[in-house]
Amino acid sequence: MNGSLATPEIVLALCGMGILLFGVLRRGDGGLICSMLTIGALLLAAVLVAGGAFGLAFEGQFLVDPMSVFSKFLILAAAILGVVLSLDYNAREGIGRFEFPVLMLFATLGMMVMVSAGNMMSLYLGIELQSLSIYVLAAFARDDVRSAEAGLKYFVLGALASGLLLYGITLVYGFSGSMDFAAIRQALSDPTRVSEGLIVGVVFVIAGFAFKVAAVPFHMWTPDVYEGAPSPVTAFLGTAPKVAAMVLFLRVMVGPFGHVLMQWQALIEIVSVASMILGALAAIGQSNIKRLMAYSSIGHMGYVLIGLACGNAAGLRGALVYLVVYVFMFLGTFAVILAMRRRGQAVETIADLAGLGRNDPALAMAMAVFMFSMAGIPPLSGFFGKLYVFLAAVQSGLWTLAIIGVLTSVVGAFYYLRIVKVMYFDAAREAFDRRPASLSVVAAATGLFTTFFFIAPAPVLDAAQAAARVLFG
Amino acid sequence: MNQAGFPLLSLITWLPLLGGAVILSVRGDEATVATNARWTALWTSLIVFALSLLLWGEFDSSEAGFQFVEHLTWLPQFGVSYRMGVDGISVLFVLLSTALTPICVLASWESIKKNVREYMLAFLILETMMVGTFCALDFVVFYMFFEGVLIPMYLIIGIWGGPRRVYSALKFFLYTLAGSVLMLLALLAIWYFAGTTDITVLLHTQFPTNMQYWLFLAFLASFSVKVPMWPVHTWLPDAHVEAPTAGSVILAGVLLKMGAYGFLRFSVPMLPQASTYFAPLIFALSVIAVIYTSLVALAQTDMKKLIAYSSVAHMAIVTIGIFTFNAQGIDGALFQMLSHGIVASALFLCVGVIYDRMHTREIARYGGLVERMPAYAATFMLFTLASMGLPGTSGFIGEVLVIFGSLKINFWLSLLGGSGMILGCAYMLYLYRRVIFGRLTRADLQAILDLSPREVAVFAPLVLLTLWMGVYPASFTHFFETSVNAMVSQHQAALTGGATRLAARLPDQKVLP
């Protein structure tokens, strides 16, 4: 039992408390300095993650393996970029309080615990720490009705989902006799111990996770919350928690429930198909770009779930690569959305982008890259995300999923192209305000990653491969 | 391994991107940027063209296999690597792409006024994608280039196009993408079946006949949209009409060839049984296309639309030729593609010349141009005749070879396919008469100017090539003859081999109740 495996999390928790104290005791507005300290703490955590060993700690409650390390890097990267995105926005919107970065830090901590969970209990603790922090973040612009509504809506529905998950966990515990992932897997390897009650429990767990990753039919909260929450929160909400929840989803389904694959595979296929179709069709009619991104992210989760539906190492590898690619595209898009300001006011309809190609060619080019990439056009990174999940689907004989997947990606291309069209083809509107350097940095970094991913995809692939192999011995 | 001694194909492929980076880095006011962008694009494309001439000179046409092969590990864990190489079938398309790009840059010299930097950048990216498509020897790499073409072309039509450009650009993009994603599935199935995406290996992989049918249909979905074949050709007239002149040139000159190239590179050699099985379908669609689109062309009032429909008819001749599976037919198809690449491009440039002056493509708005523009009238006439397939021009050789090839298959196929030549005469001469002859009655045409030196520089190489190909076709056919013969004999061997295997399997099936 090696407690030092959790050093990154422990250090991050201490840093979080330290920054909180600092913010409380410091007189005046401490938003900026606390954000900087948070970025520092997250970087420190990343260094510690990189230097850590693999193994089990706290009697199997906490585990560090290539999969958790892989996802922690991704989560930390998303969190750091998320804090950077919030710097300018919060100051301008008057919500630059020091609690903001601290809440993001604690949410990140929750996610790191989630992806390291080896036990239903630590899993639940991680989810709750993450969720509670984000409920507050969603309502952070408390004077704005939409933000308050988003926070409340997310809280109520999130609590319901947590309840479902918890109910599923209790059923699984009751019928398998353990909370520990390895022990549950062991128990289920004996087919006689797989009872209907256990399957009901698995279904509840799936419902809980489907809510957290916003997959159809548990997606209803997404458009409202994405639209209402402050934009940097949406950027964060759409990336890091999704990665954490999805990785946990993958781990739980193929780990403890791996032996009952036949029972849940069809369910995941349905959820995946429904998400892809809804994500593609519902986005067409949107005029608010944050809402559009909400539907787009629902669709993307559908593609990731193809990987899970395959239920093998190739599928998991595809899903993990997709997550990496998705996180950077999504954050980059939000860097552009955050730059959409006219005369100090944030604007967020798609029509507001008109003429961006003329007014700010660099920003428009970055946005075009993200849109083409999300549509899955090679050689941009989004293509590779799709390529590997479809390859896994074809290998597993899931032709229905693959065919529906490619067709919905064509439908999806329609609305991504609409944004490119508005930026380049429509008559120019008044230019946006000068974009702050922080947004330019994020847009440039994610844009370069998205564009040039094709040159050397091997490191990401290798890491994803190693991570996926863990679950399959 | 590589007779050039250095990665020539990669250089030709990626150099345009370097030029694009230079264009991006130019600073200054708008006029400076525009001038610099034009000259950089021109010089880059000329250097690339010069390099591709080296390819022309060094290429060993007696060799049927791939030459100038390059290999670089890219995704070792998947058996995917960056492979480049050309054989007799692809080498001339590389040259066609690199030759048309400088012509496009020159043709847009004055007609493009807004966002010149982005325009030139888009063309250079397009060149990389086009050349890469023809050089790729790995299926995944091929797919990336093949699809990557969509992005610059979408922007070229959408930003610098005509009044209905948004609709046309979107239609072009979605049609092509819908076809291509089905090919992606076929690609994944092949990848899984063969364990590699190396085209040189896949060309000798025997796929089960049942699987071949599905793969063929998936390929057909992609390539038929790109060629385009009837009934999925409807994006082409729209895209052509709205695209800027140079966009139309590339679209007609190179992009359409990608579909036919796909048939030749993948469908025919990899899926011999399915190709033979589905050949009647292709013939039927092609014959319909020849007759139907020729008649539609006759009724057009917009010059570009007329030439766009004629392109569909000419490409239908190409698909007939490919699926005859004999040397004449495929030679003819290849020659017809090259010829069409030059002649159709030249015709779009001809339209561009008067469009730049009068800003209309309505046929009825012209007439009697020969009085004011004799040089233009002569140029236009040459390409009109070449498009009709007059002996002595490039158009003749390809069509006649295809007719010979198809005669071996079926008399009616040959007759109906050949009727395209007669209908082609009808609509092209009708167009020519209305635009060039007659009386010059309109006041605004009185002051129209003949070809400028820049325009002469644009047309001169095309005129020369058209005549050269028509008078001495052997200097082009010798490039692909060996490869085509090898392909035809491999196809025959695969069919007979497949038949004996099938025959051997038949008794087993009879045992089943």
Side-chain angles (χ1 to χ4, degrees):
Chain A
M1 297 310 127
N2 187 353
S4 69
L5 284 175
T7 316
E9 284 78 6
I10 294 168
V11 170
L12 199 57
L14 292 175
C15 287
M17 293 173 210
I19 297 169
L20 192 59
L21 268 182
F22 173 78
V24 173
L25 298 178
R26 187 174 184 278
R27 253 167 240 165
D29 185 19
L32 183 66
I33 185 142
C34 285
S35 295
M36 291 302 171
L37 288 173
T38 304
I39 292 174
L42 293 170
L43 283 172
L44 178 64
V47 172
L48 292 172
V49 169
F54 297 134
L56 290 171
F58 307 115
E59 304 185 353
Q61 296 243 9
F62 188 90
L63 49 85
V64 181
D65 58 13
M67 184 146 175
S68 70
V69 171
F70 179 88
S71 26
K72 276 178 201 174
F73 277 127
L74 195 53
I75 290 165
L76 286 168
I80 292 169
L81 291 177
V83 177
V84 174
L85 284 181
S86 73
L87 290 176
D88 175 73
Y89 181 91
N90 287 0
R92 292 203 201 196
E93 295 288 317
I95 53 171
R97 293 189 292 276
F98 72 91
E99 293 95 334
F100 191 94
V102 175
L103 282 166
M104 276 175 107
L105 189 148
F106 279 118
T108 311
L109 176 63
M111 294 169 213
M112 289 172 68
V113 173
M114 280 163 77
V115 296
S116 272
N119 182 300
M120 292 292 184
M121 226 53 236
S122 46
L123 171 159
Y124 190 74
L125 279 177
I127 286 189
E128 283 308 289
L129 178 55
Q130 178 255 119
S131 303
L132 284 168
S133 312
I134 293 183
Y135 300 147
V136 183
L137 280 175
F140 204 78
R142 60 185 175 202
D143 299 330
D144 178 4
V145 178
R146 288 192 312 164
S147 175
E149 182 196 326
L152 192 62
K153 200 172 252 176
Y154 191 30
F155 173 65
V156 172
L157 291 172
L160 178 69
S162 294
L164 289 177
L165 183 67
L166 208 50
Y167 186 55
I169 290 174
T170 53
L171 280 176
V172 170
Y173 173 66
F175 284 94
S176 70
S178 177
M179 287 278 192
D180 187 67
F181 288 175
I184 296 175
R185 186 179 172 82
Q186 184 66 33
L188 297 190
S189 63
D190 175 9
T192 57
R193 294 194 58 184
V194 180
S195 58
E196 285 81 6
L198 181 108
I199 299 303
V200 172
V202 172
V203 171
F204 272 106
V205 171
I206 291 178
F209 281 129
F211 179 92
K212 295 291 174 197
V213 300
V216 180
F218 304 100
H219 64 283
M220 267 77 117
W221 57 277
T222 325
D224 293 339
V225 174
Y226 276 34
E227 187 189 347
S231 297
V233 176
T234 311
F236 182 65
L237 180 59
T239 50
K242 287 228 165 142
V243 172
M246 190 52 92
V247 167
L248 195 54
F249 202 174
L250 300 175
R251 188 194 286 284
V252 170
M253 295 323 285
V254 302
F257 303 146
H259 291 297
V260 287
L261 171 75
M262 296 313 289
Q263 270 81 0
W264 56 257
Q265 193 178 25
L267 209 57
I268 299 292
E269 284 177 32
I270 293 167
V271 170
S272 162
V273 166
S275 304
M276 291 188 292
I277 293 179
L278 185 115
L281 295 181
I284 292 176
Q286 303 305 323
S287 59
N288 181 299
I289 192 155
K290 282 163 78 182
R291 249 186 129 72
L292 181 127
M293 290 310 294
Y295 283 109
S296 152
S297 84
I298 293 172
H300 285 300
M301 286 307 120
Y303 293 107
V304 179
L305 286 174
I306 292 181
L308 175 57
C310 296
N312 56 23
L316 245 58
R317 181 188 59 209
L320 291 174
V321 173
Y322 202 109
L323 282 176
V324 175
V325 164
Y326 162 80
V327 162
F328 289 100
M329 293 189 298
F330 197 88
L331 284 170
T333 310
F334 266 84
V336 178
I337 293 175
L338 284 163
M340 292 168 60
R341 282 180 165 277
R342 275 205 187 96
R343 298 182 196 153
Q345 283 294 316
V347 289
E348 49 192 45
T349 67
I350 294 172
D352 285 314
L353 283 166
L356 190 63
R358 190 81 58 82
N359 295 334
D360 192 345
L363 196 66
M365 194 180 278
M367 187 69 164
V369 163
F370 298 129
M371 290 301 119
F372 281 121
S373 176
M374 287 202 186
I377 309 297
L380 304 170
S381 66
F383 167 70
F384 288 92
K386 293 204 166 73
L387 181 70
Y388 295 117
V389 290
F390 290 147
L391 179 65
V394 167
Q395 284 176 348
S396 313
L398 300 176
W399 282 99
T400 328
L401 279 187
I403 290 173
I404 294 177
V406 295
L407 292 181
T408 53
S409 76
V410 176
V411 179
F414 173 76
Y415 62 80
Y416 296 125
L417 286 182
R418 193 158 64 101
I419 294 178
V420 177
K421 175 218 129 193
V422 169
M423 287 193 305
Y424 283 102
F425 308 168
D426 286 4
R429 287 202 181 182
E430 193 187 338
F432 292 139
D433 297 349
R434 242 184 100 74
R435 55 175 196 269
S438 58
L439 297 183
S440 306
V441 168
V442 175
T446 51
L448 289 175
F449 176 86
T450 305
T451 314
F452 295 108
F453 180 75
F454 76 95
I455 292 178
V460 174
L461 272 175
D462 287 338
Q465 175 96 345
R469 256 201 217 115
V470 173
L471 296 184
F472 291 93
Chain B
M1 170 172 154
N2 183 343
Q3 56 260 57
F6 61 98
L8 178 60
L9 290 179
S10 290
L11 205 60
I12 295 177
T13 308
W14 298 106
L15 201 61
L17 277 195
L18 190 70
V22 172
I23 288 181
L24 264 187
S25 65
V26 173
R27 290 278 171 269
D29 62 86
E30 200 167 340
T32 329
V33 169
T35 318
N36 280 321
R38 286 189 186 110
W39 282 106
T40 316
L42 183 64
W43 276 110
T44 314
S45 55
L46 283 176
I47 292 170
V48 171
F49 180 60
L51 282 171
S52 64
L53 285 181
L54 197 64
L55 188 69
W56 160 284
E58 294 280 312
F59 187 83
D60 177 7
S61 55
S62 62
E63 176 75 42
F66 289 98
Q67 305 180 26
F68 299 96
V69 175
E70 294 164 26
H71 180 235
L72 214 71
T73 18
W74 186 45
L75 298 172
Q77 60 274 62
F78 290 96
V80 179
S81 44
Y82 171 81
R83 273 171 212 280
M84 301 289 255
V86 284
D87 68 351
I89 293 172
S90 49
V91 63
L92 289 179
F93 291 110
V94 174
L95 277 157
L96 185 66
S97 314
T98 57
L100 284 179
T101 308
I103 289 178
C104 284
V105 171
L106 264 184
S108 332
W109 205 260
E110 279 155 17
S111 56
I112 299 298
K113 291 186 180 67
K114 62 167 187 177
N115 300 353
V116 178
R117 181 216 299 252
E118 286 78 10
Y119 183 86
M120 294 299 167
L121 182 65
F123 264 91
L124 291 176
I125 294 176
L126 193 57
E127 185 174 22
T128 291
M129 297 295 169
M130 293 187 303
V131 176
T133 307
F134 294 121
C135 291
L137 277 193
D138 187 282
F139 210 156
V140 176
V141 179
F142 168 83
Y143 186 83
M144 289 183 54
F145 284 122
F146 187 82
E147 281 281 275
V149 165
L150 292 183
I151 299 177
M153 202 64 210
Y154 172 73
L155 296 174
I156 287 171
I157 299 176
I159 301 179
W160 296 278
R164 287 177 73 234
R165 58 185 201 269
V166 174
Y167 167 79
S168 304
L170 195 61
K171 190 171 179 183
F172 158 76
F173 197 103
L174 291 183
Y175 262 65
T176 324
L177 182 65
S180 301
V181 292
L182 293 174
M183 177 169 80
L184 177 65
L185 288 183
L187 156 65
L188 295 174
I190 286 176
W191 190 350
Y192 179 50
F193 178 84
T196 177
T197 51
D198 182 349
I199 289 173
T200 49
V201 176
L202 291 178
L203 287 178
H204 300 284
T205 308
Q206 173 72 36
F207 293 98
T209 313
N210 261 341
M211 187 179 171
Q212 283 194 21
Y213 293 148
W214 289 108
L215 293 179
F216 186 89
L217 289 175
F219 284 158
L220 182 66
S222 173
F223 299 142
S224 65
V225 173
K226 206 91 173 182
V227 167
M229 291 167 74
W230 184 86
V232 284
H233 66 282
T234 56
W235 62 269
L236 184 75
D238 285 321
H240 266 313
V241 169
E242 300 306 326
T245 303
S248 291
V249 169
I250 288 291
L251 201 54
V254 184
L255 259 55
L256 304 191
K257 310 301 177 288
M258 286 181 179
Y261 173 75
F263 278 129
L264 268 176
R265 176 62 76 227
F266 300 104
S267 301
V268 175
M270 281 183 202
L271 316 169
Q273 275 85 10
S275 297
T276 315
Y277 181 79
F278 283 110
L281 173 73
I282 304 281
F283 292 148
L285 294 180
S286 305
V287 165
I288 293 174
V290 167
I291 296 172
Y292 168 76
T293 53
S294 296
L295 293 176
V296 173
L298 212 48
Q300 295 308 312
T301 55
D302 182 304
M303 280 190 256
K304 264 189 159 180
K305 219 164 192 167
L306 191 151
I307 300 169
Y309 278 110
S310 85
S311 289
V312 181
H314 283 131
M315 290 308 288
I317 303 277
V318 172
T319 45
I320 291 178
I322 292 172
F323 283 86
T324 58
F325 310 121
N326 55 43
Q328 283 96 334
I330 297 180
D331 276 348
L334 278 166
F335 204 87
Q336 170 79 350
M337 279 197 260
L338 295 172
S339 157
H340 178 262
I342 290 166
V343 173
S345 305
L347 284 171
F348 279 117
L349 288 168
C350 285
V351 176
V353 166
I354 47 177
Y355 180 79
D356 285 346
R357 287 165 176 67
M358 305 304 299
H359 298 286
T360 174
R361 290 181 304 262
E362 280 292 306
I363 298 173
R365 286 279 288 104
Y366 295 97
L369 286 182
V370 68
E371 292 177 24
R372 298 286 312 157
M373 308 176 76
Y376 174 74
T379 316
F380 195 3
M381 184 182 71
L382 175 77
F383 294 119
T384 304
L385 297 177
S387 172
M388 285 153 38
L390 191 81
T393 62
S394 60
F396 175 70
I397 315 288
E399 301 213 0
V400 161
L401 279 174
V402 171
I403 291 173
F404 284 164
S406 56
L407 207 50
K408 292 186 179 175
I409 306 286
N410 184 310
F411 169 74
W412 288 103
L413 171 67
S414 180
L415 183 77
L416 293 172
S419 69
M421 283 179 91
I422 298 164
L423 291 166
C425 288
Y427 59 74
M428 286 313 293
L429 288 178
Y430 187 42
L431 168 73
Y432 191 73
R433 184 183 73 80
R434 284 182 290 172
V435 174
I436 303 292
F437 295 144
R439 287 179 58 80
L440 198 149
T441 47
R442 292 181 183 277
D444 52 355
L445 292 179
Q446 297 290 348
I448 198 164
L449 294 172
D450 207 352
L451 297 180
S452 70
R454 179 182 61 83
E455 285 161 344
V456 171
V458 167
F459 282 114
L462 297 173
V463 171
L464 273 178
L465 272 173
T466 309
L467 292 174
W468 183 7
M469 287 173 77
V471 174
Y472 193 67
S475 48
F476 297 88
T477 50
H478 84 91
F479 272 98
F480 48 75
E481 261 164 357
T482 322
S483 296
V484 168
N485 287 336
M487 189 168 141
V488 169
S489 50
Q490 197 204 329
H491 184 80
Q492 299 298 347
L495 281 190
T496 48
T500 44
R501 220 168 301 153
L502 205 65
R505 207 180 296 152
L506 275 177
D508 303 347
Q509 289 172 337
K510 277 179 188 162
V511 174
L512 293 170

